[in-house]
Amino acid sequence: MKVTFPDGKVIDIAEGESLYEAFKRNNIYLTASCGGKGTCGKCRVKVLDGEIRVENYGKLSQTERDEGIVLACQSYAEGDLSVEIPMEALLTVGDKIAVSRSRDLFELLKSYKAEISPLISRVRVQLPPPTLDDNISDLERLKRALDEIGLTLSYPKEFVSTMADKLRRYNWDFTLCYQKDSMEAISIEPPEAEDSRYGIAVDIGTTTVVVYLVDLSDGRVVDVGSTYNSQMRYGDDVITRIVHATEGKGLPDLRKAVVTDINDLIVPMTEKHSIRPSEIESIVVSGNTTMTHLFWGLNPAYIREEPYIPTANLFPVWKAYDSGIKIRRDAPVYSVPCVASYVGGDIVSGVIATKMHTKEEIALFMDIGTNGEIVIGNRDWLMTAACSAGPCFEGGGIKNGMRATNGAIESVKIDRETLEPEIKVIGEGQPVGICGSGMIDAITEMFLSGIIDQKGRIVADLNTDRIREGEDGLEYVVYRDSGRDIVLTQVDIENLIRAKAAIYAGVSLLLKEVGFSLDMIERVYIAGGFGNYIDVEKAVIMGMLPDIPRERFQFMGNTSIAGAYLCLLSEQMRQEAEQVASMMTYMELSVKGSYMDEFMSAMFLPHTDMEQFPMVKEILGK
Ligand code: FES
């Protein structure tokens, strides 16, 4: 059977294969927050013609059904079909995302007084050529010379099997490359080893993958690239991916998806700068614990099951050929160490990028992305926890939610008199959905204009046609469109309040556990792609961020890539990362009895205890 698209493209579809599966097989990826389980409603497509069997309509409204809208993951062709995919359902993985080099990372490295010392070290060696009198083997000859300079290495078979020819080719005068952490010989190179050597720093985020190409001789960032993590075709959040990893070929599929993303960024970058893959001699990856497991193809199943144990937190330095990354075959690959199942290398990177572990001031680090992680502490101690905020702020579980890409409403202002919204859209075109910062704005503005009460309930009897009864109960129309309005429903608002409450409850409980109060926090670092756009004032009024003087907040951008960069360039920073990881005490909040109390108190706008929000109290005149 065939599926034809409005642009004339035709794909085949097998009997018993869902539209979602058939599209995926043909490299057409739909937003699939729930991984194809029929619960998120994101994979909606419009059947223009043909017979289709629909197993489950999920939450599709009657109007949508009448228009031919179905969930692709729940629909099966019964003959040839003609199908249209709405723009908001199409997942444009592989698209390059603009990334900025926000901070001078080399300055950060210098502030640590760290020397450039990549994973591969080099030493020039000159050996006396063998004679009949000095006839020890090549390997013993090399060991004897290295002994004299106090260097003791191990010699893998790969190295030894090529050394005889190379020693003679370079006339016993050569450069020896070895891996510093494992003290393992890597290769024999010409005496004047080429100066050009490069490394790759990677941030494997649940939503995006960012790659920096770095000149290892001077720390210069040669180029940057970013793309969506194409694992998203198997689900938005780490839990859905873990579930997928345990089904059939799920784990190799997930691994292949992210490795392909990284290679697809590296290859054009190296070509652009005329760099041979063999000149890229090391790589550092920084990601949450699940992402790091999936990158290495390690079973993440036990991360999800009590008592939540990962296979590894501190990963051995494996080789590029073990990872599938297309650079120098034997290049070492360092993984920034993780702390626990839900606090990974990305958070360790965050700590070393903020330097909060070197200062006396008490700081709070928040990484708000697909997952929410928090760290509190200073140079003497660090406590960390993960908040199960869910993927709301990335668009998951929100009727018209989407990620912060073109077409997303990123900010909302509501006129206090007319209750009419004024919106700003990323890319300035027609809006197709609303992203995290837009949601925070919208909720806060709705609250300040009296459209919702402190519990987040929409007030029905206001004099505006923006509030109406929808399929899921009351909703506020953020944008009117003859085809498809963009709304925030009562259910969306409840989900968002639950997400912000989880974040705030995490901060609040972690503080209580260490015997601190909010006013003792001298600095709040906010990281994550999402953290770039957030309006602090509105996030405080909503009760997601603590109500402390605004000048204490500092946006850090992507600290995961910053940590990967630091570890790529310096042995001292790799040690620093390992020390930070071992210094961090992880607290599993969900098992704390008082977590529920904290969470329930935070289920208000901004909070049931207004004393915790003194400045908001003033704004509200309460
Ligand atoms: Fe189809 Fe979620 S409903 S992917």
Side-chain angles (χ1 to χ4, degrees), residues 44 57-66 399 471:
R44 49 184 83 192
Y57 278 101
K59 287 187 185 154
L60 290 180
S61 67
Q62 195 52 51
T63 331
E64 286 173 310
R65 294 179 202 194
D66 294 345
K399 186 166 184 182
E471 301 281 343

Side-chain angles (χ1 to χ4, degrees), residues 31-43 71 73:
T31 307
S33 304
C34 68
K37 303 277 184 289
T39 53
C40 71
K42 295 281 175 190
C43 63
L71 298 178
C73 69

Side-chain angles (χ1 to χ4, degrees), residues 261-398:
D261 287 339
I262 298 171
N263 283 330
D264 286 351
L265 288 169
I266 294 176
V267 172
M269 222 183 248
T270 48
E271 279 170 5
K272 181 173 148 197
H273 297 279
S274 308
I275 294 168
R276 292 189 305 275
S278 60
E279 290 174 281
I280 299 182
E281 60 170 43
S282 55
I283 176 164
V284 170
V285 295
S286 167
N288 66 45
T289 313
T290 302
M291 289 304 119
T292 311
H293 276 60
L294 294 178
F295 172 77
W296 285 115
L298 303 175
N299 181 4
Y302 306 104
I303 287 178
R304 190 174 154 249
E305 292 169 14
E306 205 179 319
Y308 317 111
I309 305 298
T311 302
N313 278 326
L314 192 56
F315 295 79
V317 179
W318 285 317
K319 303 281 188 200
Y321 58 75
D322 288 320
S323 70
I325 300 294
K326 290 180 190 152
I327 54 170
R328 179 182 161 139
R329 238 191 123 259
D330 54 6
V333 185
Y334 180 84
S335 316
V336 179
C338 301
V339 178
S341 275
Y342 295 110
V343 175
D346 52 343
I347 304 306
V348 171
S349 282
V351 171
I352 60 172
T354 60
K355 297 181 84 177
M356 63 186 282
H357 67 295
T358 63
K359 298 174 190 164
E360 202 172 337
E361 66 176 19
I362 303 292
L364 165 66
F365 171 81
M366 303 173 78
D367 190 331
I368 309 166
T370 319
N371 322 298
E373 292 101 348
I374 44 180
V375 185
I376 295 174
N378 68 358
R379 65 182 179 202
D380 299 320
W381 57 275
L382 292 169
M383 290 286 281
T384 181
C387 330
S388 44
C392 267
F393 294 115
E394 301 273 347
I398 302 296

Side-chain angles (χ1 to χ4, degrees), residues 512-529:
K512 280 192 185 146
E513 289 290 326
V514 293
F516 281 83
S517 57
L518 277 171
D519 54 357
M520 292 159 94
I521 295 189
E522 293 160 82
R523 175 76 52 202
V524 180
Y525 298 106
I526 298 181

